[in-house]
Amino acid sequence: MAADAVTTLPDRVRDRFPILRSRTYLNSCSQGALSDSVRAAYERYLRDWDEHGSPWDYWVERMESARGAFAGLVGADLDEVAVTTSVSAGVSAVASGLRFDRGRSKVVVSDFEFPTIGQIWHAQEPRGARVVHVPEAPDATIPLERFEEAIDEETLLVSIAQVCFRNGSRIDVEGVVRLAHERGALVLLDSYQALGAIPVDARELGVDLLAGGTLKYLLGSAGLAFLYCRRDLVEEILPTATGWFADEDIFRMDITDYSPSRTARRFEAGTPPVPSIYAGIAGIELMQEVGIAETREHVQGLNEALIAGVDELGGRVVTPRDPERRGPLIAIRSTDEHALVAALERDGVITSSRDGNLRVSPHCYNSMEDIQGLLEALGRHGELLAT
Ligand SMILES: Cc1ncc(COP(=O)(O)O)c(C=O)c1O
């Protein structure tokens, strides 16, 4: 019995996250909790800096390890992965290399996108892009028919978020990919709100481009992200947003031409975020060790209980009920989401909010007691729940 209890989630990982001793932490959609191994990685970075001064060969090697970690995470090859400082940086590099003057000028953007993605596509309008939004239905899904109406033979690219940061809704990625590819369009998937919480395989999903970062369910911290680009697409995109780490030979130090790498490294830019690389690798390795598929099952169980509890309180869950149509994040309608987040924080429960919703995002380390504690607190602040 006792042995079983520590081999299942969350018991076997909880003591690796010190914050859980003092808080109920349910905000992994914003930032994963700090683990002992990510803390140790930062300490290792400082020690290496202290002891070796400027070990740049080693730090560049660490960057290659990060590339390997990201490639392993999404089932890609090393030459299909750019290591970037943010999703914005990778997607901007791709956007800068697209041409909108060859009969395909349309970019179809789902209304589930994070602001950065919408803004990057609209920033291409002076270059000839026409941005078309695919609206959300009242049930917080985007039905495939809406993509079917929007994607046509003039569409260059379809930009979708796997899990919406506002409402936790999960898009039918394979369905969108099928429609887009039938009509000759590329698909860019922003998987930030899924990575680490749901197994993600770029090839299985069939996407052409995929971006994400380490901040959330991958348990790293700010400053590290990646961009996957399907191998045979890489050389068709010539980024104009670039930098020396994108060059074919970084250390040739040539200021007389632009010869980008033949691999996805061409979507990189300047000096890599070394401290974040140490932390990011540690976070990804920890999630691989914990098990992402097992985490998905565990979180699903917690979220079933959460949804049932909110129903009982008379609250309104915005996230779709179908487990296939949602990610790890559950959004609950509030009459004043900022006041609700603040009230919960006073009760020792950390959450966040967006767009009128309380966001609750359990991870591998959360327990049923965490959910019960949250539900009790929601009961105490019932006036802040929208019915
Ligand atoms: C879906 C999604 N995409 C992107 C980002 C962030 O992008 P960036 O790395 O450019 O800050 C976030 C959250 O911060 C997100 O939730």
Side-chain angles (χ1 to χ4, degrees):
M1 264 310 258
D4 274 347
V6 289
T7 53
T8 54
L9 292 177
D11 295 358
R12 71 183 153 84
V13 299
R14 272 181 81 83
D15 65 354
R16 304 195 60 178
F17 298 86
I19 193 172
L20 304 180
R21 290 176 210 140
S22 57
R23 299 263 194 292
T24 298
Y25 192 77
L26 287 164
N27 195 25
S28 304
C29 66
S30 294
Q31 169 85 58
L34 178 61
S35 63
D36 55 3
S37 61
V38 170
R39 172 180 290 279
Y42 272 118
E43 285 163 0
R44 221 163 29 246
Y45 163 67
L46 291 175
R47 209 169 47 238
D48 286 345
W49 187 9
D50 221 1
E51 286 175 13
H52 303 286
S54 49
W56 273 101
D57 286 350
Y58 177 63
W59 286 343
V60 169
E61 204 181 295
R62 290 273 77 198
M63 185 178 184
E64 292 312 308
S65 298
R67 194 185 314 283
F70 286 129
L73 187 71
V74 299
D77 290 325
L78 290 174
D79 60 354
E80 296 176 306
V81 174
V83 179
T84 65
T85 51
S86 63
V87 162
S88 309
V91 173
S92 281
V94 167
S96 77
L98 294 176
R99 300 278 302 265
F100 303 97
D101 58 354
R102 295 177 173 166
R104 286 184 183 267
S105 60
K106 196 164 155 184
V107 180
V108 170
V109 179
S110 94
D111 267 356
F112 282 176
E113 298 317 289
F114 196 72
T116 208
I117 300 290
Q119 289 160 12
I120 289 169
W121 293 123
H122 281 286
Q124 310 312 311
E125 285 169 335
R127 300 181 53 231
R130 275 186 307 129
V131 180
V132 172
H133 287 260
V134 185
E136 172 182 338
D139 66 354
T141 65
I142 305 185
L144 268 190
E145 303 80 71
R146 297 196 173 185
F147 284 99
E148 194 151 20
E149 284 159 21
I151 304 169
D152 59 20
E153 306 297 323
E154 289 179 7
T155 306
L156 177 63
L157 183 139
V158 182
S159 198
I160 50 174
Q162 193 163 4
V163 175
C164 177
F165 76 104
R166 288 183 286 108
N167 59 28
S169 187
R170 175 141 61 111
I171 260 177
D172 176 356
V173 177
E174 288 98 330
V176 174
V177 167
R178 187 170 30 78
L179 286 173
H181 287 177
E182 270 167 19
R183 290 156 202 194
L186 301 170
V187 176
L188 164 72
L189 181 66
D190 175 353
S191 289
Y192 215 143
Q193 290 291 342
L195 289 163
I198 303 178
V200 174
D201 186 300
R203 273 191 245 289
E204 263 175 31
L205 292 170
V207 295
D208 304 284
L209 298 145
L210 183 151
T214 56
L215 189 57
K216 305 171 192 297
Y217 302 93
L218 288 176
L219 306 176
S221 66
L224 186 64
F226 74 101
L227 177 93
Y228 157 84
C229 179
R230 173 168 59 75
R231 177 177 296 110
D232 47 358
L233 178 62
V234 170
E235 290 195 73
E236 286 179 35
I237 305 175
L238 194 66
T240 57
T242 189
W244 63 308
F245 270 75
D247 199 77
E248 193 169 27
D249 180 358
I250 299 172
F251 297 104
R252 195 170 52 203
M253 302 283 181
D254 185 1
I255 64 164
T256 63
D257 84 339
Y258 172 48
S259 329
S261 166
R262 290 168 187 276
T263 74
R265 206 162 51 65
R266 67 173 49 201
F267 302 111
E268 294 176 8
T271 307
V274 178
S276 306
I277 285 174
Y278 276 67
I281 294 171
I284 294 169
E285 285 177 351
L286 178 54
M287 272 322 299
Q288 304 276 33
E289 187 190 320
V290 169
I292 295 173
E294 194 181 335
T295 294
R296 175 184 52 189
E297 298 310 309
H298 172 66
V299 168
Q300 197 127 222
L302 298 179
N303 281 342
E304 293 298 333
L306 173 60
I307 292 171
V310 173
D311 285 347
E312 244 170 66
L313 290 171
R316 179 149 46 98
V317 173
V318 172
T319 311
R321 301 276 161 152
D322 177 359
E324 287 301 305
R325 292 278 69 83
R326 60 177 143 89
L329 160 66
I330 300 294
I332 301 163
R333 203 76 192 147
S334 173
T335 53
D336 182 343
E337 73 272 27
H338 304 294
L340 184 52
V341 168
L344 292 172
E345 189 165 358
R346 284 193 295 275
D347 291 343
V349 183
I350 310 300
T351 58
S352 56
S353 67
R354 288 277 186 269
D355 196 28
N357 300 326
L358 176 74
R359 299 193 305 173
V360 181
S361 46
H363 201 8
C364 57
Y365 37 68
N366 289 113
S367 63
M368 206 48 99
E369 290 72 41
D370 290 343
I371 300 300
Q372 259 131 31
L374 167 73
L375 287 168
E376 280 161 27
L378 287 177
R380 286 194 296 278
H381 307 297
E383 76 288 357
L384 294 171
L385 289 178
T387 49

